[in-house]
Amino acid sequence: MATQQGRHFLQIPGPSPVPDRILRAMDMPVIDHRSAEFARLGHAVLEGSKAIFKTTQPVVIFPASGTGAWEAAIVNTLSPGDTVLMAETGHFATLWRNIATRWGINVEFLPGDWRRGADPAAIEARLVEDREHKIAAVMVVHNETSTGSTSRIAEIRKAIDNAKHPALFMVDTISSLASVDYRHDEWQVDVTVSGSQKGLMLPPGISFNAVSEKALAASRTNKMPRSYWDWQEMLKPNAGGFFPYTPATNLLYGLKEAVTMLQEEGLDNVFARHKRLAAATRKAVETWGLEVLCQNPAEYSPVLTAVLMPPSHDADHYRKVTLEKFNISLGSGLGKVAGKVFRIGHLGECNELTLIGALSGVEMGLAAAGVPHRSGGVQAAMALLEGGDAANAPRAAVA
């Protein structure tokens, strides 16, 4: 296979490209994780992470993938035999359901068509029916990475309140944190689950649980066995900047730099940038004559755009052609949409020029793979970005 020149375009919706600043920050000697030097690092990342989740409550950091954070949320708050309400928004909501089921949780799975986010009205209606309050938790994926649909978390919080239901509220932000507006405290989320490899721009290997007082109270009385994932065992040494077992020190160096970068840009500007790039991507897809998988404009993802292939054309074949010819990786279809969609990631360290380069690869790939389309998608995206849509334009950073 011929060696391809230039930097590879990693346009999958996570892991996202790691910025050079973060790579340099991680290029450090491993230090004594019981030292005062490490305690300063520990304090910095534990406190800095709170700003990204928009919380004053504890953020627990585990050396793990997002799957570990899913499991930690379950075993710290629920007991075998509990019932939870989840929404079928896509592949990752389905995986979270499967993990809960393995822990002996009864999951009521509100059916979905994988083209929309969770329905607040359906959640409210089911909670109103639950007069005995048997449902222990409502669990929702904020940004469904398999479909490009973003659930309306503030509206779901309102639905829970309207139903006057005491259920815990758990939200997966693995692909949305630091890319989509998210407010753990304001939206009264009890457990927010996340990971390092998406909007935080880090390699995989760190996962997070942001937890409320209500969730902590549940963790003191629930009956689920745990050891590695126990919040209480983490929070004790965290108070001094330490961890109960060997931490991922170099990833924590990277996390500290990631928090700094996000704060330098300003979270509102980060969110506006993602929305702007997503709008340009959808404009390109529309111009090509292709269809975006997400059907509700209010739920379009700022993180990725999932694109439906024309009938009789295989998305994986198209991705293979595009990778081999133009050195760009696009996300595959997962679960029910395998082979039917490809996904364009536009998250993390991505700007206008990066996106236009990626969209050029996508458009050239459509031609190379013989996928029916109209030309001009890249030019349409450029025109939108040049217009500087005021609704999505970043505000000047505050000194």
Side-chain angles (χ1 to χ4, degrees):
M1 182 175 178
T3 300
Q4 294 176 309
Q5 297 302 313
R7 179 168 289 196
H8 175 68
F9 272 68
L10 183 66
Q11 298 300 143
I12 61 175
S16 63
V18 180
D20 291 341
R21 273 182 63 175
I22 291 178
L23 290 172
R24 290 195 297 269
M26 293 190 300
D27 186 15
M28 295 283 287
V30 175
I31 61 174
D32 178 3
H33 58 284
R34 304 297 179 212
S35 66
E37 181 183 2
F38 181 88
R40 289 190 290 271
L41 173 63
H43 278 302
V45 295
L46 289 165
E47 289 301 312
S49 298
K50 293 180 182 181
I52 308 304
F53 285 91
K54 295 190 177 180
T55 183
T56 60
Q57 302 299 315
V59 176
V60 182
I61 300 175
F62 293 103
S65 68
T67 304
W70 276 347
E71 187 161 311
I74 291 166
V75 301
N76 278 283
T77 59
L78 302 172
S79 297
D82 280 351
T83 297
V84 301
L85 183 64
M86 302 180 74
E88 185 192 5
T89 52
H91 181 70
F92 291 97
T94 303
L95 292 180
W96 202 8
R97 177 201 63 179
N98 293 346
I99 290 175
T101 300
R102 289 171 187 164
W103 280 101
I105 304 299
N106 300 314
V107 179
E108 291 192 19
F109 208 38
L110 293 173
D113 62 3
W114 289 42
R115 303 197 71 173
R116 296 170 179 81
D119 183 351
I123 291 172
E124 181 175 341
R126 179 63 190 95
L127 293 178
V128 168
E129 290 176 358
D130 182 32
R131 295 182 178 87
E132 297 181 3
H133 295 166
K134 291 183 178 180
I135 295 172
V138 175
M139 301 166 69
V140 176
V141 174
H142 185 202
N143 184 81
E144 180 54 71
T145 326
S146 64
T147 68
S149 297
T150 302
S151 292
R152 292 162 281 156
I153 301 304
E155 293 183 33
I156 295 172
R157 174 72 263 173
K158 185 177 180 181
I160 297 170
D161 293 343
N162 288 345
K164 297 181 173 59
H165 201 287
L168 292 164
F169 189 21
M170 303 191 203
V171 180
D172 167 354
T173 68
I174 291 171
S175 65
S176 61
L177 187 73
S179 299
V180 185
D181 188 14
Y182 185 77
R183 311 174 190 186
H184 177 88
D185 284 0
E186 182 179 332
W187 295 340
Q188 300 174 58
V189 179
D190 293 301
V191 186
T192 299
V193 170
S194 203
S196 59
Q197 73 276 17
K198 308 272 189 173
L200 287 174
M201 305 174 289
L202 293 164
I206 300 180
S207 67
F208 304 85
N209 282 174
V211 298
S212 71
E213 287 293 339
K214 183 177 176 181
L216 285 172
S219 75
R220 299 184 187 103
T221 59
N222 78 313
K223 306 300 182 184
M224 197 74 78
R226 68 259 189 194
S227 174
Y228 183 86
W229 304 117
D230 195 330
W231 290 342
Q232 301 299 331
E233 292 303 311
M234 287 289 282
L235 291 172
K236 293 172 188 176
N238 280 178
F242 298 109
F243 293 80
Y245 38 69
T246 307
T249 304
N250 290 65
L251 285 173
L252 296 180
Y253 281 126
L255 175 59
K256 182 181 177 183
E257 187 68 16
V259 170
T260 298
M261 291 175 66
L262 291 165
Q263 291 178 328
E264 285 175 356
E265 185 176 357
L267 282 177
D268 287 345
N269 293 335
V270 171
F271 303 147
R273 169 169 55 84
H274 282 77
K275 289 175 65 178
R276 190 168 63 254
L277 299 179
T281 303
R282 293 192 301 272
K283 187 65 176 178
V285 173
E286 174 190 342
T287 304
W288 292 325
L290 302 179
E291 185 180 357
V292 172
L293 181 64
C294 178
Q295 290 186 318
N296 184 354
E299 296 173 337
Y300 284 150
S301 171
V303 171
L304 74 140
T305 300
V307 184
L308 278 164
M309 292 292 283
S312 77
H313 288 269
D314 181 71
D316 292 333
H317 171 72
Y318 162 72
R319 291 173 51 251
K320 181 175 184 291
V321 170
T322 305
L323 173 63
E324 291 176 351
K325 284 188 172 292
F326 306 114
N327 199 20
I328 178 172
S329 290
L330 300 168
S332 63
L334 301 171
K336 291 182 180 181
V337 294
K340 299 176 182 178
V341 306
F342 65 90
R343 297 174 296 148
I344 306 169
H346 32 73
L347 72 160
E349 191 191 35
C350 188
N351 62 17
E352 286 81 356
L353 292 181
T354 305
L355 181 69
I356 292 302
L359 294 178
S360 297
V362 173
E363 185 162 339
M364 290 190 293
L366 292 171
V371 178
H373 70 287
R374 297 190 298 265
S375 62
V378 176
Q379 286 77 9
M382 288 173 60
L384 185 147
L385 292 172
E386 290 166 358
D389 181 355
N392 288 336
R395 294 175 293 190
V398 177

